Amino acid sequence: MSPKKTAVCKGITRQTWAAQTLSFLLLRLQSRTALCSHADAVERKEIQQWHKGFLKDCPSGELNRADFKGIYKQFFPFGDPSRFADYIFEVFDRNHNGTIDFKEFLQALSITSRGSSDEKLKWAFELYDIDNDGYITQDEMLKIVDAIYRMVGSMVQLPEDEDTPEKRVDKIFRLMDKNNDGKIDMAEFKEGSHQDPLIMQALNLYDGLV
């Protein structure tokens, strides 16, 4: 394979993923799951510019897992973002072929800047529902939250009741798990998030800044 095909993605890609990653610190919410239903809201000129930049920085037309994790590492040098980057990569890699192509990349841009609250919640639910069984267990949420804590390291000062991943997950489940069955379904997730905006913050969801 030629050097051109193996070039590390940077430039627009790095800026975009950096915006998404750093915005986690704002404790906001992002989402988007389908490109086709939202494409009309994205200006064609924007898409063309993104495509041109994507191909310039990713000549192979794909962003692989190693490059993706490397981008996160650049913006979280004092923590370990590798595990969290893996979880995010799985959500963005819609066809699960091990790379992010431009269509998936565009979905990510659409996610960070557009989409209804319900769409954002659906995407967020997919992130926490690691095994895709329709429920978020405490163990699944702990894996994501622990990955976030490892990523940000000492960059964020947390309140005492959230200063460990376990405390944060317990707090979220007290707010969301209405029937106390030890897991959160989509209905509970949506209801809790709509009723109490503080849950949005507690979940460490994000809104991209692109």
Side-chain angles (χ1 to χ4, degrees):
M1 185 174 290
S2 67
K4 181 179 180 182
K5 290 294 184 180
T6 58
V8 174
C9 298
K10 47 189 176 181
I12 184 174
T13 305
R14 182 174 297 170
Q15 294 168 5
T16 302
W17 295 113
Q20 294 175 357
T21 306
L22 293 175
S23 63
F24 264 92
L25 305 181
L26 302 180
L27 306 180
R28 290 179 179 265
L29 176 68
Q30 96 158 4
S31 174
R32 181 63 196 165
T33 56
L35 171 65
C36 58
S37 64
H38 196 65
D40 57 349
V42 182
E43 294 291 338
R44 180 170 298 181
K45 186 176 181 180
E46 285 183 291
I47 296 176
Q48 292 173 342
Q49 290 174 341
W50 289 334
H51 188 234
K52 182 179 179 180
F54 185 85
L55 291 179
K56 179 180 179 181
D57 297 318
C58 301
S60 68
E62 297 176 331
L63 175 62
N64 64 38
R65 187 183 297 268
D67 292 342
F68 187 83
K69 293 168 75 170
I71 292 166
Y72 269 72
K73 184 60 179 176
Q74 290 179 31
F75 290 93
F76 291 90
F78 304 109
D80 178 10
S82 59
R83 191 180 302 175
F84 181 72
D86 272 328
Y87 290 127
I88 294 293
F89 189 91
E90 288 298 323
V91 180
F92 285 146
D93 180 17
R94 306 302 296 181
N95 62 4
H96 304 295
N97 71 342
T99 62
I100 298 172
D101 60 23
F102 180 69
K103 179 178 178 180
E104 292 164 328
F105 179 78
L106 186 58
Q107 286 178 330
L109 297 185
S110 181
I111 286 168
T112 61
S113 58
R114 300 168 176 88
S116 68
S117 295
D118 282 348
E119 288 168 337
K120 293 177 179 181
L121 286 169
K122 185 177 186 297
W123 185 91
F125 189 89
E126 290 180 4
L127 171 63
Y128 285 91
D129 180 17
I130 297 173
D131 64 4
N132 299 308
D133 69 346
Y135 297 95
I136 302 172
T137 65
Q138 286 188 275
D139 182 62
E140 286 176 319
M141 184 167 286
L142 182 59
K143 287 179 180 178
I144 300 294
V145 174
D146 181 67
I148 293 171
Y149 277 52
R150 290 174 183 270
M151 178 175 67
V152 300
S154 59
M155 293 172 61
V156 178
Q157 185 68 38
L158 296 167
E160 185 177 352
D161 65 342
E162 296 182 2
D163 60 6
T164 69
E166 291 79 9
K167 287 182 181 179
R168 175 158 291 197
V169 171
D170 286 343
K171 183 175 182 178
I172 293 170
F173 264 75
R174 286 197 302 271
L175 292 168
M176 281 194 160
D177 185 15
K178 300 300 185 183
N179 60 2
N180 298 311
D181 64 351
K183 57 187 179 182
I184 297 169
D185 61 23
M186 188 62 199
E188 290 174 316
F189 191 77
K190 290 175 65 174
E191 180 182 359
S193 299
H194 285 311
Q195 288 183 353
D196 189 347
L198 292 177
I199 293 178
M200 299 287 196
Q201 298 175 354
L203 283 169
N204 255 326
L205 305 177
Y206 66 102
D207 186 10
L209 301 179
V210 292

